[in-house]
Amino acid sequence: MATFDDFMKLDIRVGTIVEVAAFEKAKKPAYQLHIDFGKELGIKKTSAQITNHYKPEELIGKQVLAVVNFPPKQIADFMSEVLVLGTYSEGGVVLVTPDKEVKNGDKLG
């Protein structure tokens, strides 16, 4: 079992997707995302296997939650800097998003 202290080690922030590209070299269909986390963190990159539910144009401007304090991970020729949160739902991954617009960089608390 994880403890509350374990959970508190995660830095989960809100960011806005500002750029989306198909990730051609990924083993499974995915997008490369550039997400703006505000002044403190800036724009971070990640890949996400969310092609079943989202088209690139639907993602621009969408706010998402992501873990921003995991070490970077090499995926093919791309360095993923954050982990976007989603649920493994019927038909593919569905992004976890705030239900109201909030400031980029806001922490989950």
Side-chain angles (χ1 to χ4, degrees):
M1 299 290 293
T3 67
F4 183 74
D5 287 339
D6 292 332
F7 176 75
M8 292 306 294
K9 291 177 186 175
L10 297 175
D11 188 357
I12 300 172
R13 308 274 186 121
V14 175
T16 300
I17 299 171
V18 295
E19 187 178 328
V20 180
F23 191 178
E24 302 295 339
K25 293 185 178 180
K27 290 180 183 177
K28 296 180 182 178
Y31 295 129
Q32 294 175 342
L33 307 177
H34 292 240
I35 304 170
D36 182 356
F37 289 98
K39 281 186 176 183
E40 182 183 348
L41 297 173
I43 295 176
K44 300 288 184 185
K45 301 179 297 185
T46 192
S47 66
Q49 295 173 357
I50 55 174
T51 58
N52 287 355
H53 286 298
Y54 302 97
K55 294 184 182 348
E57 60 272 13
E58 297 170 330
L59 292 168
I60 300 294
K62 180 179 275 303
Q63 289 194 307
V64 294
L65 289 163
V67 178
V68 298
N69 65 332
F70 283 151
K73 182 177 181 179
Q74 184 82 37
I75 303 171
D77 63 349
F78 185 77
M79 189 62 73
S80 182
E81 301 173 300
V82 300
L83 176 67
V84 173
L85 300 180
T87 63
Y88 290 100
S89 300
E90 193 171 316
V93 175
V94 174
L95 294 168
V96 175
T97 62
D99 71 345
K100 294 184 191 306
E101 188 172 331
V102 296
K103 184 178 157 192
N104 288 339
D106 279 0
K107 292 184 180 187
L108 179 70

